[in-house]
Amino acid sequence: MDIPPHGGRLIDRVLRGDALTDARERAPSLKRISFNARMMSDLELLAVGAYSPLEGFMGEADYRAVLRDMRLASGLRWTLPITLAVRRAAADELREGEDVALVTPWEEPIGILHLEERFPYDGREEARLVYGTDDPRHPGAQYQLTRGDVLLAGPVDLIARPPLKGFEAYRLDPADARARFRQLGWHTVVGFQSQQPMHRAHEYIQKCALEPLDGLFIHPLVGQTKLDELPSEVRVRCYQVLVEQYYPKNRVVLAVFPGAMRYAGPRETLFHALVRKNYGCTHFIVGREYAGIESAFTPITVDQIFRAFTPEELGIVPLFFDETFYCRRCETVTSPKTCPHESQDRVGLSGAAVRELMGRGELVPTEFARPEVAEILRNWVRGTDVAAAAPSAPAEARKETKAQRVERLKRELNPWEQLEAIRRFAREGYQSIPAAWLNTYFRWWGVYTQGDGIGAVGGKGGEGKAVPYFMLRIRIPNGQLFSHQLRLIAGVADRSARGQADITVRENIQLHWVPIEDLPDILEGLWRSGLTTMGTCGDVTRNVTGCPVAGVDADELVDASPLVQAATRMLNGNPDFYNLPRKYKITLTGCRAWCSYPEINDIGMTAVRHPASGEIGFSVRVGGGLSTNPHLAVRLGAFVRWNQVLPVVHGISEIFRDSDVLRQDREKARLKFLFLQHGWTAERFGEELERRLGFSLDPAVAEEPPEDVYRDHVGIHAQKQDGYVYAGVAVLRGRLTADQMRIVADLADRYGTGELRTTTMQNLLILNVRRQRAEALAREIEATGLRLAASAFWRGTIACTGTEFCKLALTETKGFARWLVEEMEARMPGFDQHLKIHVTGCPNSCGQHWIADLGIEGKKTKVEGTMVDAYYFCVGGAVGRHQRTARPIGYRAPATEVPDAIERLLRAYLAEKRHGESFRHFTAGHTDEELRQFLAGQTVAAVGRDPSPGRPPHGVDG
């Protein structure tokens, strides 16, 4: 006879048949809540009955009772709150009684919430009661403190299950597990759960527990865990090998539990026991590693929490196992109850010990694990397939380097000539795409594989895993865009990119979640509207940028946008320049503010007036770039006339293309490395350029680099055309919804001439607005959720893609940047000083933190045993007259503490600043030690800036 589920009834809220079809049709019209991985696993476990008797996210009565008494409001034992937290603004848009679509981060509907309650809660109080602390160094508390501040409650229905990344064969719902146990004739079943690597102590206690019982249910957790835990696929492979070779096949069932680890100590141990009761277990193993979760945070031990309830209340029998170890004299795994020998003969066994050995690169001895398990762990540490060890290469065979492989692929094929291949991939599906296209060739078409939302730490070799969708980058030379083009992009975003787009720091527009099946139609639609994606990624000339107000700027020296367009036509798609050593960035600007950042481009040309003739020509800089080795461009000693600009650009491009020395190492392949690594000077570069040109350039003339100014064009500004203005819209993080794009396109038509511009500060401009209509336009813009009158924090914050989509990022940046801006606006509402805060998700500086007043670089840091997002601070970066790269000052803080640190630093600046002193001057006048003290609020030692986790990204910087 089966053991009854907890509460007496096994819940089933998985939609099927007509109900499923109806829910899928209704979901797009409902209000939506986006779920992260932990929330998705809770949704699934609620629907399949693993959390029986719960039918949805807890209401207030159950929630309060669980926190206070570890019971539901009905009196039934339950130890952990299962809740859905959202921000107050999101909760305010919802009403009790309505249905809400629950969607993945990529906007696919996975469930429906039938909303019954909304109620506020105290996250810190929950952390103290559940985890014993509200210290963010505790992994559970850290997660709790970053959730929303309103809880939503009500039953849920499951539309689709989140993927189990290769574990589908081991997915067993509670009803399925019970059926399997019945089929095997089991009446007593002991459950075992762990997130630790499998070792001999596990095997020992499992087999001891199995002796008097019918069956063993090995049920490892494969949901979210701390980042320093062994990956779930490695742990499951260890279990597979052990079950196949060391357990009787009719006595063991192996399945996976898709839930997340909460690190809630004894409360969670009892919770796991109750959940396994729903799966049909009559007994549950409670080993020493559960007790190992206990710490100074834990107000109660594992023994105490189980013994606080009667056997009838629990309905499942806990089997407690004390310390186990390998005894060298007994020559077996044993325990103090059966081994008489002293401590010097005993080898302690634990998952932590196994991880420590692997972390030191040491072999896992047979006392710790079976040889087959040790081999799997060794292979994982080496980066080999855990399923089988790869054969050793012959000693004489030399492995092709990364640079050699890419150079070979480029020589073999010009991707710009392979459009038909893309059409074939679209017909045959994602699985038909070869690795060379996924990892290399697609980039020439502005197509880039998209990360799975975890970032670099989710993969190997500094690069995370990809999902079967793509990032698509649209080229916008000089940022010049028309309303019909923006409207088209909005339509593509709606149909193929989850309804949103990002403006990049190179004036492009970037889409995500694009399926291969849609790609040919998207490319052709863009071409018909005058747009292309060609050359926005890959080892080619990227989008050529320029001043976004070229032609309308009342203070510009010259409108250089025709040169930008001509340079684009000359290089993009040209087979002579499809194979450069690396990415190649050019900007040409006629403005005085140098708003397109010539200092950090491979070629930066800025307009200058010749003092003798009055002729407008250009200064030229070469070799600028950021990434892990920032280098501000070197000015050549030349005055370049208008008609010489294209030959000069062509000549510099040839120098770069023909520099074989830059093709030996992908991490040192940018033009700047001629100066950084190979001894080139401005004089040598100029000589080589003139040799290729066949004529001499005039000597350089004095120029006036700009002072500290915003280069973002935000607000209403007069144009050179009398009676007209342009409106600069501050787009926080560069992110726009499809609806916002359509609205802005309509506004450009109604108030202007349909002309728009994108900017390197990720903003959007509407041109040619009659001055008397500017106020009405401003009101309509603000109604879209965008801003014309933006705070210093809103207009000065830049963010790269981050782990949301980038496989190389260490931290999530877009959501973090928005939260940071909201925090700073709330804390310092009157702050009005010039301030650029650049957020970059890894050391590769796609967020351009090296030129920011305050640049924060994504890291991971361990807090109480768990890895969390963190940021390393660099200060004082500048371009223009006071150009310099930001200096690392040795301070790193968890992401949750960044607003506190910035607030302390800015308040110190405001307290000390003299009249007219900029933040850059303030930081320049203080030592690293002093700035760390301002940030931390106390004296702290310097921490080193970690090196890049892997290779520089192939174009994810926009």
Side-chain angles (χ1 to χ4, degrees):
M1 180 177 176
D2 289 353
I3 182 174
H6 198 50
R9 181 170 69 93
L10 192 64
I11 301 302
D12 180 2
R13 299 196 66 91
V14 179
L15 296 178
R16 302 173 181 87
D18 291 342
L20 176 60
T21 302
D22 177 65
R24 283 176 173 161
E25 291 174 352
R26 287 198 306 125
S29 65
L30 301 176
K31 295 173 184 174
R32 294 177 293 180
I33 298 174
S34 181
F35 272 28
N36 60 28
R38 173 162 156 178
M39 296 157 72
M40 287 192 287
S41 66
D42 278 346
L43 171 64
E44 178 180 2
L45 292 167
L46 284 165
V48 301
Y51 291 170
S52 296
L54 302 183
E55 297 194 48
F57 293 104
M58 285 180 175
E60 186 168 14
D62 281 336
Y63 173 72
R64 306 290 178 201
V66 168
L67 287 190
R68 183 180 62 250
D69 302 322
M70 292 189 289
R71 297 179 185 270
L72 298 173
S74 65
L76 192 67
R77 281 300 174 190
W78 196 267
T79 55
L80 292 182
I82 305 297
T83 56
L84 172 55
V86 298
R87 301 289 181 192
R88 184 173 300 279
D92 288 344
E93 294 181 0
L94 305 174
R95 293 293 178 267
E96 287 82 352
E98 70 177 318
D99 289 346
V100 182
L102 310 176
V103 300
T104 66
W106 47 97
E107 298 294 323
E108 291 181 354
I110 53 171
I112 291 178
L113 168 69
H114 306 286
L115 183 61
E116 293 182 346
E117 290 183 67
R118 298 174 298 163
F119 57 96
Y121 79 114
D122 186 337
R124 290 193 176 275
E125 177 192 40
E126 178 177 325
R128 287 191 293 268
L129 291 172
V130 173
Y131 306 108
T133 180
D134 60 5
D135 188 332
R137 292 173 297 176
H138 183 287
Q142 194 271 341
Y143 178 84
Q144 174 60 38
L145 296 177
T146 60
R147 301 174 76 206
D149 39 20
V150 175
L151 297 181
L152 307 181
V156 295
D157 291 322
L158 185 67
I159 293 175
R161 298 172 187 255
L164 262 185
K165 56 177 183 179
F167 302 134
E168 291 295 339
Y170 292 94
R171 189 199 290 266
L172 275 185
D173 292 345
D176 299 326
R178 287 169 171 266
R180 180 78 62 85
F181 301 159
R182 285 194 298 271
Q183 181 185 18
L184 292 167
W186 296 353
H187 299 288
T188 53
V189 185
V190 61
F192 175 83
Q193 190 287 126
S194 179
Q195 81 281 2
Q196 299 285 2
M198 185 72 168
H199 52 78
R200 283 186 181 267
H202 288 160
E203 185 179 345
Y204 171 80
I205 62 177
Q206 289 169 4
K207 290 182 174 178
C208 286
L210 185 56
E211 282 292 343
L213 303 175
D214 296 331
L216 168 66
F217 185 44
I218 301 178
H219 205 203
L221 180 147
V222 295
Q224 277 193 329
T225 61
K226 295 184 297 181
L227 292 177
D228 57 352
E229 302 279 18
L230 198 68
S232 51
E233 56 266 29
V234 181
R235 288 187 284 110
V236 172
R237 179 58 182 155
C238 294
Y239 286 120
Q240 288 173 327
V241 168
L242 286 169
V243 169
E244 289 167 2
Q245 301 190 31
Y246 294 100
Y247 288 75
K249 289 183 171 51
N250 63 343
R251 300 287 306 282
V252 179
V253 169
L254 171 63
V256 296
F257 179 65
M261 195 70 189
R262 285 166 160 81
Y263 301 97
R267 274 188 182 244
E268 186 165 8
T269 307
L270 181 49
F271 168 79
H272 278 294
L274 297 176
V275 167
R276 281 6 180 258
K277 173 184 170 184
N278 287 328
Y279 279 86
C281 294
T282 56
H283 297 69
F284 186 68
I285 293 172
V286 182
R288 185 176 69 86
E289 288 188 333
Y290 275 120
I293 294 174
E294 296 163 18
S295 67
F297 295 129
T298 309
I300 188 171
T301 68
V302 168
D303 288 2
Q304 289 170 339
I305 199 169
F306 275 90
R307 290 174 178 141
F309 308 133
T310 67
E312 293 75 21
E313 287 181 303
L314 294 179
I316 188 169
V317 179
L319 300 180
F320 295 99
F321 284 86
D322 204 347
E323 177 187 8
T324 52
F325 46 82
Y326 184 88
C327 177
R328 294 189 180 94
R329 293 184 64 186
C330 295
E331 296 183 337
T332 189
V333 178
T334 182
S335 75
K337 294 181 179 179
T338 54
C339 173
H341 301 119
E342 300 299 323
S343 59
Q344 62 266 24
D345 298 314
R346 299 173 176 178
V347 179
L349 302 178
S350 71
V354 173
R355 290 201 312 274
E356 184 178 346
L357 284 170
M358 292 189 297
R360 295 199 301 263
E362 298 179 19
L363 298 179
V364 179
T366 54
E367 295 93 337
F368 276 77
R370 295 280 188 183
E372 297 87 348
V373 170
E375 182 66 12
I376 291 170
L377 298 177
R378 276 196 296 272
N379 287 341
W380 174 72
V381 170
R382 294 168 181 160
T384 0
D385 184 0
V386 299
S392 300
E396 65 274 14
R398 295 187 61 186
K399 183 179 179 182
E400 189 178 45
T401 67
K402 192 185 309 176
Q404 289 168 340
R405 182 177 68 253
V406 174
E407 290 301 319
R408 172 177 56 78
L409 290 172
K410 290 190 293 183
R411 288 193 303 270
E412 291 173 355
L413 185 147
N414 177 354
W416 286 335
E417 298 173 349
Q418 302 296 318
L419 179 59
E420 189 51 45
I422 296 177
R423 293 191 176 109
R424 176 168 53 82
F425 300 147
R427 291 193 301 270
E428 297 177 3
Y430 185 86
Q431 298 304 318
S432 69
I433 306 172
W437 271 90
L438 286 173
N439 300 324
T440 304
Y441 295 139
F442 262 137
R443 293 171 184 150
W444 272 246
W445 288 92
V447 179
Y448 196 85
T449 53
Q450 183 169 298
D452 62 359
I454 298 175
V457 296
K460 296 178 182 178
E463 181 169 335
K465 298 177 182 177
V467 293
Y469 296 91
F470 295 96
M471 177 273 288
L472 182 67
R473 186 175 294 150
I474 302 168
R475 192 181 194 106
I476 316 288
N478 209 104
Q480 293 176 317
L481 191 65
F482 293 95
S483 56
H484 73 276
Q485 295 172 326
L486 185 60
R487 213 172 276 115
L488 173 76
I489 294 171
V492 173
D494 260 342
R495 291 189 301 275
S496 303
R498 314 301 191 200
Q500 67 181 25
D502 293 335
I503 302 172
T504 77
V505 293
R506 290 203 67 77
E507 302 177 341
N508 296 306
I509 292 181
Q510 191 161 288
L511 304 173
H512 297 277
W513 300 113
V514 175
I516 184 62
E517 293 80 4
D518 293 1
L519 191 54
D521 288 343
I522 294 173
L523 296 179
E524 290 170 14
L526 291 170
W527 295 333
R528 286 194 295 270
S529 75
L531 296 172
T532 186
T533 64
M534 286 179 65
T536 52
C537 300
D539 296 351
V540 292
T541 306
R542 302 298 181 84
N543 190 42
V544 183
T545 62
C547 175
V549 288
V552 302
D553 176 14
D555 195 39
E556 70 181 355
L557 286 167
V558 67
D559 175 4
S561 62
L563 292 173
V564 171
Q565 299 292 345
T568 298
R569 291 190 297 271
M570 178 177 70
L571 296 172
N572 192 40
N574 184 342
D576 290 342
F577 294 100
Y578 92 90
N579 180 6
L580 301 177
R582 206 64 162 80
K583 67 179 80 169
Y584 184 51
K585 300 179 179 180
I586 301 173
T587 189
L588 308 170
T589 182
C591 69
R592 299 178 191 271
W594 296 8
C595 59
S596 56
Y597 299 123
E599 303 93 337
I600 60 171
N601 277 260
D602 294 285
I603 301 178
M605 286 195 171
T606 51
V608 62
R609 187 185 302 276
H610 199 289
S613 65
E615 178 185 0
I616 302 296
F618 293 86
S619 293
V620 58
R621 286 171 167 76
V622 295
L626 297 177
S627 193
T628 53
N629 294 279
H631 181 255
L632 297 177
V634 174
R635 188 186 182 199
L636 303 184
F639 175 82
V640 180
R641 291 187 162 89
W642 180 279
N643 65 349
Q644 296 172 335
V645 167
L646 292 182
V648 165
V649 169
H650 193 279
I652 295 172
S653 302
E654 286 183 335
I655 292 173
F656 182 45
R657 181 196 62 195
D658 298 341
S659 295
D660 287 341
V661 70
L662 298 178
R663 296 181 184 269
Q664 310 308 311
D665 185 341
R666 295 289 291 171
E667 296 186 19
K668 298 175 182 177
R670 294 286 302 277
L671 185 63
K672 66 184 177 181
F673 284 100
L674 290 180
F675 299 94
L676 289 172
Q677 297 277 326
H678 302 292
W680 282 52
T681 63
E683 291 73 24
R684 178 179 174 183
F685 200 103
E687 291 169 2
E688 175 61 18
L689 175 60
E690 289 185 343
R691 186 186 71 80
R692 289 176 180 266
L693 290 173
F695 59 84
S696 297
L697 298 169
D698 290 345
V701 299
E703 61 180 6
E704 296 184 14
E707 283 286 352
D708 290 336
V709 291
Y710 275 124
R711 300 185 180 189
D712 62 358
H713 308 288
V714 168
I716 302 291
H717 299 273
Q719 295 185 183
K720 64 167 61 173
Q721 293 82 11
D722 189 38
Y724 287 85
V725 299
Y726 67 85
V729 181
V731 183
L732 181 59
R733 311 166 299 162
R735 177 151 294 176
L736 290 163
T737 66
D739 287 342
Q740 286 175 324
M741 286 187 278
R742 271 188 284 267
I743 290 170
V744 172
D746 291 344
L747 293 176
D749 283 339
R750 287 167 43 214
Y751 286 91
T753 55
E755 293 181 64
L756 301 120
R757 303 283 171 88
T758 54
T759 83
T760 57
M761 286 286 286
Q762 301 179 312
N763 296 323
L764 191 61
L765 315 183
I766 298 175
L767 271 55
N768 303 323
V769 179
R770 288 191 178 276
R771 186 184 303 277
Q772 58 267 35
R773 304 192 68 197
E775 188 174 333
L777 171 61
R779 286 196 297 270
E780 293 207 45
I781 288 174
E782 296 286 340
T784 69
L786 301 171
R787 296 186 187 179
L788 282 174
S791 71
F793 302 112
W794 183 289
R795 68 185 292 190
T797 298
I798 291 287
C800 72
T801 299
T803 55
E804 181 183 13
F805 299 124
C806 179
K807 297 183 296 181
L808 302 171
L810 295 170
T811 58
E812 191 285 320
T813 56
K814 291 288 190 181
F816 170 79
R818 184 178 189 92
W819 171 72
L820 176 62
V821 168
E822 290 171 349
E823 284 288 314
M824 297 314 302
E825 287 180 336
R827 294 165 184 241
M828 304 184 71
F831 188 84
D832 60 356
Q833 303 298 304
H834 180 290
L835 183 70
K836 288 177 62 183
I837 302 176
H838 286 211
V839 183
T840 192
C842 74
N844 292 311
S845 195
C846 298
Q848 301 178 340
H849 70 297
W850 290 119
I851 59 169
D853 296 300
L854 194 53
I856 55 176
E857 177 185 308
K859 303 290 183 186
K860 290 293 185 188
T861 192
K862 187 172 285 190
V863 177
E864 283 297 308
T866 188
M867 299 298 289
V868 300
D869 282 7
Y871 285 93
Y872 186 92
F873 282 71
C874 303
V875 303
V879 285
R881 185 177 300 278
H882 308 289
Q883 70 170 36
R884 58 168 294 173
T885 56
R887 78 181 199 258
I889 59 170
Y891 182 70
R892 179 174 58 201
T896 53
E897 298 176 15
V898 167
D900 295 333
I902 293 178
E903 181 183 5
R904 285 190 290 263
L905 178 63
L906 294 183
R907 292 200 182 280
Y909 160 56
L910 293 177
E912 288 190 15
K913 88 177 186 76
R914 297 179 295 275
H915 178 71
E917 182 183 37
S918 69
F919 180 78
R920 180 185 58 76
H921 281 101
F922 167 77
T923 57
H926 285 280
T927 65
D928 293 354
E929 292 77 13
E930 290 169 336
L931 293 171
R932 286 199 302 274
Q933 186 168 2
F934 291 144
L935 286 162
Q938 59 184 332
T939 301
V940 292
V943 297
R945 176 179 170 265
D946 300 331
S948 169
R951 66 178 183 275
H954 295 279
V956 293
D957 54 346

